[in-house]
Amino acid sequence: MTKTDTARPEAVLPTPSHTVGPFYGYALPFRGGEDIAPLGHPDTVTVHGHVYDGEGVPLPDALMEVWGPDPDGNVPTADGSMRRDPASGGFLGRNGVEFTGFGRIQTDADGHWYARTLRPGARGRNAPYLSLCVFARGLLVHLFTRIYLPGDEAAHAADPLLSRVAAERRDTLIARDEGNGTYRFDIRLQGEGETVFLEFR
């Protein structure tokens, strides 16, 4: 009877997981997805920024969905974010009149994104905010967060969600005012300054 070798084999490292795709640039973006506000509306604001991975590298193929209420805090009920031509099936873009509150934006080659929307109004006890959903390479599940606009510290302090976020992380949910109705909101998927993401149950 031969004695079997009981020495442990050298440890084998697991193969890293991969997502299929991403295919965001092929099927999901639509023309005018970033132009949510009706043309010439006086309450139009621009929110923009970059999406960064854990090493601080901008992601050129992330996709964001933004939605929010109108300036009075009402949730829009108008259709029309992704109108199609009934003859060709192609996208017609928005009609420039109705406010749907929804936009879908792909980052550019530098990882930059922007959305032109209406400044959101407060709803209930919440400070005004825009909801944001992030799809990106390496994410098996999309991420949810909020964009609060600066300028109403009392409302931020009373907001049921924002007031529960640790003080040192709260700034990751508040855009920076760049003047002229423009706000900067960078998204950091992990690492230093990681954006606070929400989990819905």
Side-chain angles (χ1 to χ4, degrees):
M1 186 174 209
T2 22
K3 187 176 176 184
T4 48
D5 184 6
T6 57
R8 294 187 60 166
E10 189 175 320
V12 177
L13 297 176
T15 303
S17 63
H18 288 70
T19 55
V20 178
F23 299 122
Y24 308 134
Y26 170 69
L28 292 177
F30 58 94
R31 190 173 70 238
E34 65 281 348
D35 291 316
I36 306 165
L39 295 173
H41 197 288
D43 292 317
T44 299
V45 296
T46 299
V47 182
H48 76 104
H50 287 81
V51 179
Y52 297 103
D53 67 13
E55 296 180 347
V57 177
L59 294 180
D61 52 6
L63 186 84
M64 271 72 57
E65 290 185 346
V66 177
W67 64 104
D70 67 19
D72 295 322
N74 300 315
V75 175
T77 57
D79 294 330
S81 292
M82 297 181 280
R83 294 183 314 135
R84 289 188 180 271
D85 183 329
S88 70
F91 288 118
L92 288 175
R94 300 176 193 272
N95 65 14
V97 178
E98 275 95 12
F99 176 64
T100 65
F102 173 79
R104 185 179 287 155
I105 308 104
Q106 183 178 7
T107 54
D108 64 17
D110 297 320
H112 184 259
W113 67 278
Y114 74 92
R116 281 193 280 285
T117 188
L118 297 184
R119 185 179 185 93
R123 300 186 66 231
R125 297 179 351 190
N126 294 303
Y129 69 87
L130 297 168
S131 295
L132 182 71
C133 183
V134 182
F135 301 81
R137 69 172 83 173
L139 295 180
L140 299 177
V141 178
H142 47 279
L143 301 172
F144 294 96
T145 190
R146 289 182 176 180
I147 304 171
Y148 290 89
L149 299 183
D152 197 346
E153 285 68 28
H156 290 169
D159 183 87
L161 184 137
L162 195 57
S163 61
R164 290 177 22 200
V165 175
E168 64 273 11
R169 301 212 48 219
R170 201 170 296 148
D171 284 347
T172 70
L173 295 175
I174 302 172
R176 287 183 329 205
D177 190 347
E178 295 187 328
N180 298 319
T182 302
Y183 300 90
R184 176 76 181 251
F185 188 79
D186 291 325
I187 301 157
R188 298 184 188 280
L189 298 181
Q190 58 181 209
E192 187 176 345
E194 177 181 327
T195 301
V196 170
F197 296 105
L198 311 174
E199 182 178 4
F200 293 97
R201 298 179 186 206

